[in-house]
């Protein structure tokens, strides 16, 4: 009964947040949507629903936080565009009777810039940085259901301008280990500015409502991922006068718009990310994904590209995970993402077993 009340209240809140997220205003804190996990980057940079011991996904899906993740450390670094780099550090821990928690620090550095006054005279250099401190909580309600939430405190400083605010994620997951199936519903970045860059001009956080499903096939070493994003609004394409992909009628010189069917299917697939993991063993995996919305947003008129495709790999050896991934945005524009994670509980267990075997051989 208690779990049912939690679900009902969560659904009501999600409906209210989805309706308020459609109001006007400028979106801020877009760095919260960056991928702070190589595995996430390789699988399309949206919500991932899995029921395993990977700690790099805990800040993305708080309902996946469980006791098996305690004493885990996850580090991530991404060499983004230009002089921009970003990184994160996450540590998971457990508190008896309260649940399992994860604390994460995110940092984005945009490099150094040269300041100038109105006359073009240099005034020195300045930097621009984003920072977010996250505290996440997760709890398994039953052998098949879990819930989670997190609070992100956000600070942005650009020269003399700065902003402070917060964002909240709320998630619920269903998993069935016998069928190797996992599903998650997530409302992310529910929040606002508390101190805006410009007094009186408040922006809204990049809210999204997402659903993710994954399942490892029974007889082949593949796990497929299907992610639905921006579920609170339908129209994600643009067919206005400035669209460079629209042609003109030779007789009337009017814009020629795609058919209603083509617009429908384009919009439909913009909401979907398809991902696939090859898992030949528990120590190694390969990932690949296609994000149609990124492909459409980043394509150019002159030539085709692999925009929207992403790929990566992960090694998992005795409590240590290493991941590498690339996501294609345009020709020659594919940021590199590296993750390193440690499960200290598993490392300690492996060390104890090694010592025990050593003592047995001595006897």
């Amino acid at each position: 009964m208690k779990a049912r009340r939690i679900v009902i209240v969560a659904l009501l809140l999600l409906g209210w947040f989805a309706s308020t997220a459609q109001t006007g205003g400028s979106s801020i804190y877009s760095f919260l949507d960056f991928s702070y996990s190589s595995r996430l980057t390789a699988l399309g940079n949206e919500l991932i629903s899995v029921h395993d011991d990977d700690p790099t996904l805990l800040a993305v899906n708080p309902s996946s936080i469980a006791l098996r993740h305690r004493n885990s450390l996850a580090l991530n670094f991404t060499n983004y565009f230009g002089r921009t780099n970003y990184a994160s550090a996450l540590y998971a821990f457990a508190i008896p009777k309260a649940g399992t928690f994860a604390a994460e620090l995110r940092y984005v550095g945009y490099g150094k810039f040269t300041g100038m006054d109105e006359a073009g005279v240099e005034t020195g250099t300045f930097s621009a940085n984003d920072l977010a401190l996250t505290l996440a909580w997760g709890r398994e309600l039953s052998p098949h259901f879990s819930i989670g939430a997190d609070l992100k405190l956000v600070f942005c400083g650009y020269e003399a301008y700065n902003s402070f605010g917060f964002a909240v994620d709320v998630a619920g997951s269903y998993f069935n280990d016998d069928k190797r199936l996992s599903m998650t519903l997530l409302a992310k970045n529910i929040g606002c500015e508390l101190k805006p860059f410009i007094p009186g001009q408040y922006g809204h956080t990049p809210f999204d409502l997402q659903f993710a499903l994954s399942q490892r096939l029974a007889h082949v070493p593949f796990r497929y991922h299907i992610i639905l994003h921006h579920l609170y609004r339908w129209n994600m394409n643009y067919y206005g006068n400035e669209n460079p992909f629209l042609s003109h009628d030779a007789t009337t010189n009017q814009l020629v718009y795609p058919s209603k069917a083509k617009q429908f299917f384009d919009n439909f697939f913009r909401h979907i990310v398809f991902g696939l993991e090859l898992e030949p063993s528990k120590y190694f995996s390969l990932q690949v994904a296609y994000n149609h919305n990124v492909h459409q947003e980043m394509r150019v008129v002159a030539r085709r590209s692999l925009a929207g495709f992403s790929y990566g790999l992960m090694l998992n050896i005795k409590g240590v995970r290493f991941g590498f991934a690339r996501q294609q945005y345009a020709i020659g524009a594919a940021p590199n993402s590296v993750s390193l994670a440690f499960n200290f509980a598993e490392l300690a267990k492996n060390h104890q077993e090694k010592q025990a075997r050593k003592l047995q051989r001595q006897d």
Side-chain angles (χ1 to χ4, degrees):
M1 181 63 72
K2 184 177 179 181
R4 183 181 299 176
R5 292 175 182 172
I6 293 174
V7 172
I8 293 174
V9 172
L11 291 174
L12 291 174
L13 289 174
L14 290 180
W16 181 80
F17 287 129
S19 63
T20 58
Q22 299 179 64
T23 58
S26 58
S27 179
I28 56 170
Y29 307 151
S30 59
F31 76 99
L32 295 177
D33 282 337
F34 288 177
S35 173
Y36 296 88
S37 163
S38 64
R39 188 179 182 188
L40 186 72
T41 299
L43 289 171
N45 194 22
E46 299 294 350
L47 171 68
I48 298 298
S49 180
V50 291
H51 192 236
D52 61 19
D53 58 352
D54 184 0
T56 66
L57 302 177
L58 300 186
V60 181
N61 179 9
S63 64
S64 66
I65 301 175
L67 193 61
R68 62 183 176 277
H69 297 115
R70 69 187 186 280
N71 297 330
S72 293
L73 174 67
L75 306 172
N76 182 80
F77 175 80
T78 299
N79 180 17
Y80 209 45
F81 300 110
R83 292 171 293 181
T84 300
N85 298 295
Y86 63 86
S88 68
L90 178 145
Y91 183 74
F93 57 96
I95 298 179
K97 298 182 180 181
T100 310
F101 295 82
E104 184 195 46
L105 179 65
R106 300 179 180 181
Y107 173 80
V108 182
Y110 300 98
K112 294 287 185 179
F113 300 87
T114 301
M116 296 185 180
D117 61 16
E118 294 84 349
V121 178
E122 293 188 6
T123 59
T125 61
F126 66 92
S127 62
N129 306 288
D130 292 326
L131 191 70
L133 178 62
T134 303
L135 180 63
W137 166 85
R139 190 183 187 100
E140 293 188 349
L141 301 178
S142 73
H144 297 293
F145 291 95
S146 65
I147 58 173
D150 63 45
L151 170 65
K152 294 175 254 193
L153 301 179
V154 183
F155 176 81
C156 302
Y158 310 149
E159 207 257 344
Y161 300 91
N162 56 74
S163 171
F164 175 74
F166 75 95
V168 174
D169 297 343
V170 181
S173 291
Y174 166 83
F175 43 88
N176 189 320
D177 292 336
D178 294 333
K179 296 182 179 180
R180 303 177 178 87
L181 175 68
S182 179
M183 295 184 290
T184 297
L185 180 64
L186 168 71
K188 62 181 294 189
N189 298 328
I190 306 162
C192 65
E193 279 185 291
L194 298 177
K195 180 187 180 301
F197 288 104
I198 301 175
Q201 297 185 18
Y202 292 87
H204 62 81
T205 51
F207 172 83
D208 199 4
L209 183 62
Q210 301 183 345
F211 173 80
L213 177 150
S214 76
Q215 185 175 32
R216 194 181 192 281
L217 302 181
H219 303 293
V220 290
F222 285 101
R223 178 190 297 274
Y224 68 84
H225 297 265
I226 299 175
I227 302 101
L228 309 179
H229 57 94
H230 291 88
L231 294 176
Y232 65 95
R233 66 184 175 103
W234 165 248
N235 192 19
M236 294 185 65
N237 55 24
Y238 172 71
Y239 290 110
N241 295 333
E242 304 301 325
N243 191 321
F245 295 96
L246 295 181
S247 60
H248 287 77
D249 185 274
T251 304
T252 63
N253 200 34
Q254 297 293 317
L255 289 173
V256 179
Y257 291 92
S259 65
K260 295 295 184 181
K262 187 174 182 179
Q263 292 186 40
F264 173 85
F265 284 107
D266 179 42
N267 238 331
F268 178 78
F269 285 106
R270 279 174 179 259
H271 288 270
I272 306 176
V273 178
F274 298 97
L276 189 65
E277 284 188 281
L278 171 63
E279 301 174 325
S281 75
K282 64 179 181 180
Y283 304 109
F284 176 73
S285 63
L286 293 171
Q287 303 92 27
V288 64
Y290 174 68
N291 188 322
H292 185 66
N293 186 55
V294 172
H295 176 78
Q296 293 295 83
E297 293 295 315
M298 299 303 297
R299 66 178 179 148
V300 294
V301 178
R303 57 190 301 182
R304 297 180 181 273
S305 72
L306 293 176
F309 286 91
S310 53
Y311 48 89
L313 60 86
M314 177 166 283
L315 302 175
N316 180 20
I317 302 174
K318 296 183 177 181
V320 179
R321 285 178 178 265
F322 171 79
F324 173 80
R326 287 169 63 89
Q327 184 171 16
Q328 297 287 148
Y329 287 97
I331 298 174
N336 299 313
S337 179
V338 178
S339 293
L340 187 62
F342 305 90
N343 186 317
F344 296 113
E346 186 174 349
L347 288 171
K349 179 181 178 181
N350 292 333
H351 178 73
Q352 292 173 357
E353 292 177 350
K354 183 178 179 180
Q355 293 297 320
R357 290 193 297 268
K358 183 177 179 181
L359 292 174
Q360 289 178 355
R361 288 194 299 266
Q362 291 175 352
D363 293 341

